[in-house]
Amino acid sequence: MGIHEAFGVPLILFMIFVAPIWVIMHYRSKRKISEGLSETELNQLNDLSNRAEKMADRIKTLEAILDAESPNWRRDHDKV
């Protein structure tokens, strides 16, 4: 068994079976990326954005309460 057979057969099998699937999957993923977000994904993104805004508002409220009740809480928290 020569070196050509040792590398040639696996290379041919790779080119026949693996490479075409690899190329198809590559261009399929490129196409999905270029299409952008689906309607469902856009709705999920908007929902997450709304939740993040509500959470930011809640954090600001909690910080305001803590500032009123314990003015040094930020300094004390940084020590931990």
Side-chain angles (χ1 to χ4, degrees), residues 36-50:
L37 297 176
S38 70
E39 179 121 5
T40 304
E41 292 168 332
L42 187 58
N43 289 337
Q44 289 175 339
L45 183 61
N46 287 331
D47 182 48
L48 288 173
S49 176
N50 291 335

Side-chain angles (χ1 to χ4, degrees), residues 2-67:
I3 190 132
H4 296 292
E5 293 172 351
F7 288 107
V9 173
L11 181 63
I12 291 170
L13 291 174
F14 176 82
M15 295 301 289
I16 291 173
F17 295 106
V18 177
I21 294 171
W22 190 352
V23 170
I24 290 168
M25 297 302 286
H26 171 75
Y27 284 106
R28 182 180 291 172
S29 68
K30 287 275 201 185
R31 188 186 77 229
K32 282 192 146 256
I33 289 170
S34 68
E35 287 177 356
L37 297 176
S38 70
E39 179 121 5
T40 304
E41 292 168 332
L42 187 58
N43 289 337
Q44 289 175 339
L45 183 61
N46 287 331
D47 182 48
L48 288 173
S49 176
N50 291 335
R51 288 181 185 194
E53 288 176 16
K54 288 178 184 178
M55 189 177 295
D57 290 340
R58 289 176 180 168
I59 290 170
K60 287 178 186 175
T61 302
L62 289 172
E63 287 178 342
I65 292 169
L66 284 170
D67 285 337

Side-chain angles (χ1 to χ4, degrees), residues 59-78:
I59 290 170
K60 287 178 186 175
T61 302
L62 289 172
E63 287 178 342
I65 292 169
L66 284 170
D67 285 337
E69 291 184 1
S70 179
N72 296 326
W73 74 271
R74 291 179 196 263
R75 186 168 28 104
D76 296 340
H77 177 71
D78 291 338

